């Protein structure tokens, strides 16, 4: 009997075609698959790739995957990295290989992608009141006894809508009460009493099961170590209170307590380590996600490893190779990548390297600064006429990886010598 297909490995069988930016046109003309192109181990600069082309540094990628896997294990944390930062089944697989408990989602579509590629544990860090999505979740739970799914609730009205949608469904849905990070923050019940009311509403249903508490510390207003720690201690105190009061479902094997973005996971480790013993084992679930590729701006400044360098570090893994297409003045140049290609919601990219296309020589992008983005151009400000020439390749480092993966459905993974060894597929 033929073995079942592996949907992650099957991605290598996709044809290289017009859907994928930056890939060699001759690969499509020759009818190559992604796997066949990877096997050719082409050089990024001499192998027919077109600009702009986004790349992932193979060494940095592996370093980052190992760094958070090791960090979570060292601090006795389960790890469900937020998949919205990359939406790549291949990277999910590698995160699981590095010890991840499961993968976090933000919306039902992401959860459906995860299930299509075999993810068995999904934490939906959002409220879910869509009837069709809820029925799909219940169907997945009923069809696969090994599937685990947890999502947020933060209002009595939301609980009522979920209960109505799930009437007659074949399985109960596990939920955690989300504690809001404060006035003006994003989602979450704002007060402890609101959390109790939501928990009571869940207990009144036969379709939902209260399994824990959760929150997102990066939304704490005017976040600093003291405020973030205080919020997380409110979260854990409610978990302790709910356990003593018998608010969690009686048939639970473990209680879930979850938090963790990419800016304050050190605070999560601190406070979760203080949790006292509860009536059942506690799944202390960290959800940081942007670490996979890291970045050259937002998270570089905010990473907890800056506060605790003894714990390790992360490396920027993204590089967008662009090409100078216009040099209208000694202080101005334009490269052929813009808002359609670049993450720019949390800062403009930084020019890193200049590569001479004739000699292959690379040099630091000294004196070159990105000052503006158009749809398909980045505006460069230069210090002198010799900084760049038309035709030069300019490598850009980008901020906020969450919004760069979505612009590139197939991303070359590049070794230090420029050899492309793999391609990462994304689904947004």
């Amino acid at each position: 009997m033929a073995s079942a297909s592996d949907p992650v490995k099957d991605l290598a069988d996709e044809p290289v075609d017009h859907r994928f930016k930056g890939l060699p046109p001759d690969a499509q003309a020759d009818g190559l698959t992604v796997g066949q192109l990877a096997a050719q181990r082409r050089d990024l600069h001499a192998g027919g790739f077109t600009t702009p082309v986004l790349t992932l540094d193979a060494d940095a990628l592996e370093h980052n995957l190992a760094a958070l896997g090791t960090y979570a294990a060292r601090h006795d944390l389960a790890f469900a990295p937020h998949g919205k930062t990359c939406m790549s089944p291949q990277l999910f697989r590698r995160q699981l290989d590095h010890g991840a408990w499961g993968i976090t989602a933000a919306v039902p579509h992401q959860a459906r992608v995860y299930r299509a590629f075999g993810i068995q544990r999904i934490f939906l860090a959002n409220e879910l009141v869509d009837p069709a999505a809820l029925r799909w979740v219940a169907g997945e739970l009923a069809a696969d006894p090994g599937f685990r799914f947890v999502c947020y609730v933060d209002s009595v009205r939301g609980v009522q809508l979920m209960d109505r949608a799930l009437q007659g469904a074949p399985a109960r849905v596990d939920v955690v009460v989300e504690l809001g990070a404060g006035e003006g923050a994003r989602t979450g019940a704002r007060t402890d009493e609101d959390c109790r009311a939501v928990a009571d509403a869940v207990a009144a249903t036969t379709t939902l099961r209260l399994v824990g508490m959760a929150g997102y510390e990066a939304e704490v207003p005017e976040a600093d170590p003291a405020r973030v720690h205080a919020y997380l201690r409110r979260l854990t105190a409610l978990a302790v209170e709910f356990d003593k009061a018998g608010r969690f479902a009686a048939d639970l094997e473990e209680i879930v307590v979850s938090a963790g973005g990419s800016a304050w996971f050190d605070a999560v480790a601190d406070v979760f380590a203080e949790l006292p013993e509860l009536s059942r084992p506690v799944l202390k679930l960290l959800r940081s996600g942007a670490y996979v590729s890291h970045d050259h701006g937002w998270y570089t400044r905010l990473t907890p490893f800056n506060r605790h360098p003894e714990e390790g570090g992360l490396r920027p893994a993204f590089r967008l190779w662009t090409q100078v297409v216009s040099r209208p003045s000694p202080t101005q140049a334009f490269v052929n990548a813009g808002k359609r290609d670049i993450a720019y919601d949390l800062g403009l990219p930084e020019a890193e390297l200049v590569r001479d296309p004739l000699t292959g020589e690379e040099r630091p992008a000294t004196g070159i600064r990105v000052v503006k983005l158009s749809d398909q151009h980045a505006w460069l400000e230069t210090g002198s006429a010799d900084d760049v020439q038309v035709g030069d390749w300019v490598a850009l480092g980008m901020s906020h990886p969450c919004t760069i993966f979505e612009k590139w459905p197939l991303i070359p993974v590049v070794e230090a010598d420029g050899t492309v060894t793999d391609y990462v597929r994304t689904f947004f």
Side-chain angles (χ1 to χ4, degrees):
M1 185 174 66
S3 60
S5 175
D6 182 335
V8 177
K9 291 182 178 178
D10 289 347
L11 291 171
D13 296 330
E14 285 195 278
V16 176
D17 59 24
H18 60 277
R19 294 172 295 166
F20 305 129
K21 300 188 288 185
L23 299 194
D26 66 280
Q28 178 177 353
D30 292 343
L32 297 183
T33 66
V34 172
Q36 289 169 336
L37 181 59
Q40 292 184 351
R41 297 177 62 86
R42 296 196 186 192
D43 182 84
L44 177 68
H45 301 289
F49 292 86
T50 64
T51 57
V53 58
L54 181 71
T55 65
L56 279 166
D57 181 290
D59 291 338
L61 185 60
E62 178 57 29
H63 171 87
N64 294 344
L65 289 165
L68 256 290
T70 300
Y71 182 91
R74 186 164 58 243
H75 290 277
D76 194 27
L77 298 169
F79 189 32
H82 211 314
K84 72 177 176 62
T85 60
C86 64
M87 286 302 293
S88 168
Q90 292 139 296
L91 296 182
F92 298 159
R93 173 81 48 98
R94 291 179 67 175
Q95 289 172 316
L96 294 169
D97 289 344
H98 280 281
W101 170 91
I103 306 294
T104 295
V107 292
H109 161 71
Q110 292 170 0
R112 291 178 63 194
V113 172
Y114 299 178
R115 288 299 286 160
F117 289 93
I119 302 301
Q120 286 293 92
R121 292 171 175 164
I122 298 174
F123 187 99
L124 188 94
N126 205 349
E127 283 66 30
L128 178 58
V129 296
D130 181 274
L134 284 163
R135 289 191 291 269
W136 172 79
V137 169
E140 290 289 300
L141 291 166
D144 182 357
F147 176 43
R148 181 85 192 275
F149 178 89
V150 182
C151 71
Y152 284 175
V153 288
D154 74 350
S155 68
V156 172
R157 167 78 171 176
V159 170
Q160 293 170 342
L161 289 171
M162 295 178 77
D163 182 46
R164 179 176 178 178
L166 290 167
Q167 289 298 315
R172 288 189 298 170
V173 172
D174 287 351
V175 298
V176 290
V177 174
E178 183 194 8
L179 173 66
E183 288 302 321
R186 204 160 60 189
T187 57
R190 289 296 190 258
T191 69
D192 293 3
E193 191 55 43
D194 289 340
C195 290
R196 297 181 190 107
V198 173
D200 290 343
V202 172
T205 74
T206 58
T207 58
L208 303 175
R209 191 172 74 145
L210 185 62
V211 301
M213 292 289 306
Y216 181 47
E217 71 289 341
E219 284 290 312
V220 170
E222 300 179 359
D224 61 20
R227 290 184 177 92
V228 170
H229 279 75
Y231 162 72
L232 290 167
R233 290 191 176 104
R234 276 189 65 206
L235 177 68
T236 55
L238 278 168
V240 172
E241 175 195 316
F242 280 20
D243 183 48
K244 288 180 179 178
R247 292 183 184 274
F248 297 130
D251 60 345
L252 289 187
E253 294 182 358
E254 62 186 7
I255 295 167
V256 178
V257 181
S258 180
S262 295
W264 295 99
F265 55 76
D266 55 333
V268 175
D270 290 345
V271 175
F272 281 15
E274 300 169 356
L275 261 169
E277 185 175 338
L278 301 185
S279 64
R280 280 150 287 184
V282 179
L283 182 73
K284 303 173 184 178
L285 194 61
L286 180 70
R287 305 192 308 269
S288 311
Y291 79 100
V292 174
S293 59
H294 200 42
D295 72 356
H296 290 79
W298 184 257
Y299 288 115
T300 295
R301 292 189 294 272
L302 295 179
T303 176
F305 289 129
N306 288 340
R307 296 186 288 273
H308 304 281
E310 73 282 359
E311 293 270 21
L314 299 172
R315 302 176 189 168
F318 271 133
R319 183 167 281 166
L320 181 65
W321 284 100
T322 66
Q323 196 165 27
V324 178
V325 294
S326 180
R327 188 76 161 102
S329 79
T331 60
Q332 193 176 41
F334 293 87
V335 294
N336 60 345
K339 294 178 182 177
R340 307 297 185 199
D341 313 295
I342 294 170
Y344 59 90
D345 58 317
L346 291 178
L348 292 172
E350 299 175 5
E352 290 191 285
L353 295 172
V354 177
R355 181 184 177 89
D356 187 317
L358 301 179
T359 67
E361 177 189 355
E362 292 183 4
R363 61 185 187 276
T366 305
I368 301 171
R369 191 165 63 95
V370 179
V371 295
K372 182 179 176 181
L373 296 177
S374 299
D375 286 350
Q376 303 292 173
H377 294 95
W379 299 49
L380 305 186
E381 182 179 85
T382 60
S384 77
D386 297 327
D387 287 340
V388 290
Q389 303 297 326
V390 170
D392 284 350
W393 285 41
V394 179
L396 303 180
M398 280 157 299
S399 179
H400 200 197
C402 303
T403 55
I404 185 62
F405 274 101
E406 68 188 39
K407 300 175 187 295
W408 293 86
L410 194 64
I411 306 169
V413 179
V414 184
E415 300 286 347
D417 65 357
T419 302
V420 178
T421 58
D422 199 1
Y423 296 84
V424 166
R425 185 72 161 91
T426 66
F427 294 85
F428 281 90

